[in-house]
Structures are given as C-alpha cells and as structure tokens.
Amino acid sequence: MHTETVPATALRLKPSSEFIETPYIRDLTGRALEYLRAGFPVHFSGPSGVGKTTLALHVAARLGRPVVLLCGDHEFNSSDLVGGLYGYHKKYMKDNFIRSVLKTDESMTTHWVDSRLTAAFQHGFTLVYDEFTRSRPEANNVLLSVLEERILPLPAARGGESYLKAHPDFTTLFTSNPEEYTGVYRSQDALRDRMVTIEVGNFDDETEIAVTQAKSGVSLEDAQCIVSLVRKVREAKSNKLTPTVRACIIMGKILKLKGETARQANHGFRQTCLDILMPEVRYEEREKVRRVIDDALGAILIEEAHYV
Ligand SMILES: Nc1ncnc2c1ncn2[C@@H]1O[C@H](COP(=O)(O)OP(=O)(O)OP(=O)(O)O)[C@@H](O)[C@H]1O
Ligand SMILES: [Mg+2]
C-alpha cells in the first residue's frame, strides 16, 4: 500500500472524538463540505469564541487530506505566504602557505524554503488559514490567483518554474473575526468574493449545552443551568453575541474543579459568574446584567430548596 510522505509542516488530522455533533453542527459542516467539494474555498466568519477554528479543523479532518495550518499575523508579507530565502552558508578560506602571500576567498549562499501554502498547493493538502484578516490585506494578495486561477506565481529567487499549478486536492478554509475587532483588517472585496462565507453565530441551545458538558465535564443539569444563565446575560446586553460558549466552558470547568454543582453552589460561584460575565459589559448596563445574574442564580437555588 502506498503511504504518502507528509512534510513536518502538515498535520494528519482525524475527526476528534471530543468534537460535538448536533443537528446544528452537522448542518454547518455539511454545507461547508458541499461547497468545498464543488471547488469553492469556505470562510467561517463570526465573533470570537463561537467555534470557527474548531469547525474549520473538523471539516478539514473530514476531507481526509493532510492539513496545513496558518495563522494570520500583521507582520506577514507575501514571502511568508509563498516562501523565501532563509539561512546562509558561508565559506571562508585563508591561504597563507607562502608567508609573503595571503590569499582569502569568501562566499555565501542562501537557500529557498517553500512556505506552508506553497507546500499545500503542490501536494494537494488542505490549507486552514485561521484569522486570515489579521494579516495585512496586501500580504494576502497572492491568494487572489491561488483561489481563482489555481496558479501560484513564484519569485525568481526560488529557481525552477515561475508558476505552480494547484494539485487537484488542494482545498482552502478560512476563518475571521468581524472587522470591528482590534487587530483585524478589512479583507479585500476581491478575496471575499472568491470564497463562500458562512456566518457563524452562537450555537443553538442543544449544541451549547452539549459542548459545555463535554468540554468542562459537568453534569447535563449543570450545563443547562450555566447555558441558561449565559443566554440571559446575552439577552440583557446590547451586544447579544457575547458571552459565547467559551464563557460557558470556563464556568463549567471552575464549577467542576471546586467539586460543586450549580444548584448547591455557594457564594463563590456567584463571584465566578461575575468575574467571567461582567468585564466587557458596558458601564450603563452593568447594574441590569448584575441583577440578571443574581435573579438567575437565585431561581436555581430556590428550585433546589423546593427539590430538597
Ligand atoms: N463542535 C464542538 N465540539 C466541541 N467543542 C467545541 C465545538 N465548537 C466549539 N468548541 C469549543 O468552544 C471553544 C471555542 O471554540 P473556538 O476556539 O473554535 O472558537 P473561535 O470562533 O475560533 O474563537 P476565536 O475567534 O477567538 O479564535 C473551544 O474551547 C472549543 O473547543
Ligand atoms: Mg479561532
């Protein structure tokens, strides 16, 4: 059987057993796989913490090809995407065999190293470019011909061909945060036009509970209490996107670590909720959100009293 040699920069991903699949997630992954199989790059766009990277890596794993992961960075330039000349080999020779004659000879050579994109492009791997809008738009220019014509122009310094044609299995997945986020650039319209953008928002109730339970190890009942509290906080704020499932997981992990349940949680859990949920609440909404948290925790404790 032929086993493909995979460079060290590529990952062999298998769908993770920790990945939660609910009808909501299956719908998202199904749509992404359809677009990719039809030959279109897929872009998951949405606020921080809604599960974009996890989703992109899961979809990449489902494609069954080695995966190359790139993370956007404002210091990237096009050579970081294509490759560049790195390192050098310096040779210095001093010949003083005849004492009255000194002969020196110095030479230096650099060598070309392909980037992850170039390697994925040639070998037909899946490229996951996470947070691609954190790179400056001009650094991503090379992607225009990569996505549309499936051609990668190469600098002369590389030697050999001036263009590479994409391997038929080469596929791309992107993720990004909204432009309003700090450190995020507006991507070129031309680049966005070449991708199918799937907008990812907060998960549905069932998925949020399942992910909280699986990732923090709390009981189903605790996961339900946490998600219900977080949803109430979201509703009470003008920015209804946060807190996300990431906050639910952190609250669950802390509850679990303390060996408590949401119903029997003491005053410490209220403080944990405030620490995790309050920091990004706007000043004028803080009192309202604090009341929502207290009411929700109070209701959980009253239910427990009736239960006992
Ligand atoms: N389907 C899922 N199954 C299990 N865990 C998940 C799933 N989706 C998201 N998570 C968990 O939710 C958390 C947030 O997900 P992730 O890091 O992918 O979000 P993101 O949208 O990429 O955030 P950011 O924009 O900040 O990078 C992670 O802890 C992740 O493991
Ligand atoms: Mg991410």
Side-chain angles (χ1 to χ4, degrees):
M1 196 178 72
H2 170 71
T3 47
E4 187 180 18
T5 39
V6 174
T9 46
L11 305 161
R12 276 259 177 226
L13 290 187
K14 289 205 182 98
S16 161
S17 55
E18 287 188 13
F19 185 79
I20 298 296
E21 279 205 289
T22 57
Y24 179 90
I25 298 278
R26 266 195 291 277
D27 173 61
L28 278 175
T29 48
R31 272 152 61 199
L33 284 167
E34 254 171 39
Y35 301 136
L36 290 169
R37 286 180 182 139
F40 299 107
V42 166
H43 168 210
F44 291 118
S45 138
S48 181
V50 292
K52 301 177 301 295
T53 307
T54 313
L55 209 53
L57 291 174
H58 177 75
V59 171
R62 288 278 306 273
L63 290 172
R65 298 288 303 147
V67 175
V68 166
L69 180 64
L70 259 183
C71 299
D73 187 315
H74 81 282
E75 287 194 349
F76 266 11
N77 53 43
S78 49
S79 72
D80 288 301
L81 281 188
V82 179
L85 291 166
Y86 291 97
Y88 64 89
H89 180 84
K90 184 173 166 182
K91 195 170 145 196
Y92 179 73
M93 207 249 290
K94 182 174 168 186
D95 181 353
N96 200 192
F97 185 67
I98 300 166
R99 292 198 73 202
S100 55
V101 180
L102 173 65
K103 246 172 85 181
T104 62
D105 182 7
E106 190 172 332
S107 64
M108 196 172 87
T109 49
T110 52
H111 63 276
W112 177 269
V113 179
D114 278 343
S115 73
R116 293 171 185 211
L117 163 69
T118 309
F121 194 79
Q122 283 186 92
H123 300 294
F125 298 161
T126 304
L127 174 78
V128 176
Y129 192 173
D130 199 26
E131 310 270 4
F132 81 102
T133 50
R134 290 188 185 270
S135 303
R136 285 173 300 111
E138 54 271 32
N140 287 332
N141 276 347
V142 65
L143 290 172
L144 296 173
S145 63
V146 164
L147 300 189
E148 185 74 28
E149 287 83 21
R150 294 182 66 84
I151 285 178
L152 177 64
L154 295 166
R158 184 177 185 267
E161 325 93 304
S162 341
Y163 293 96
L164 278 182
K165 278 191 139 186
H167 185 289
D169 289 338
F170 173 68
T171 320
T172 43
L173 276 155
F174 297 83
T175 78
S176 78
N177 285 145
E179 280 160 36
E180 306 82 73
Y181 278 49
T182 315
V184 168
Y185 295 96
R186 181 173 158 73
S187 65
Q188 298 102 309
D189 295 335
L191 193 52
R192 270 182 293 131
D193 200 38
R194 285 161 164 76
M195 316 166 168
V196 178
T197 297
I198 300 181
E199 289 185 355
V200 187
N202 279 309
F203 293 146
D204 67 351
D205 212 25
E206 179 193 10
T207 311
E208 215 156 40
I209 293 170
V211 169
T212 305
Q213 190 186 0
K215 284 284 157 127
S216 65
V218 292
S219 67
L220 173 64
E221 194 188 18
D222 283 341
Q224 285 166 336
C225 288
I226 291 170
V227 169
S228 145
L229 168 64
V230 166
R231 290 190 158 228
K232 284 179 183 150
V233 169
R234 244 179 239 157
E235 273 310 302
K237 293 169 62 214
S238 42
N239 173 5
K240 308 238 178 277
L241 290 167
T242 56
T244 61
V245 71
R246 205 176 259 151
C248 301
I249 297 173
I250 299 175
M251 286 162 65
K253 280 192 173 164
I254 291 171
L255 201 64
K256 175 89 183 162
L257 204 71
K258 287 179 165 178
E260 293 176 348
T261 67
R263 292 192 184 285
Q264 293 154 350
N266 58 24
H267 182 72
F269 186 57
R270 174 181 180 271
Q271 193 53 54
T272 305
C273 294
L274 292 174
D275 288 341
I276 293 166
L277 302 174
M278 291 299 286
E280 38 153 341
V281 178
R282 284 163 58 180
Y283 182 75
E284 59 278 16
E285 294 173 346
R286 296 184 78 84
E287 206 33 60
K288 183 176 164 199
V289 172
R290 202 188 305 267
R291 232 177 304 117
V292 166
I293 295 175
D294 280 340
D295 289 351
L297 288 176
I300 294 171
L301 295 176
I302 289 167
E303 257 184 57
E304 169 67 5
H306 285 312
Y307 185 71
V308 173

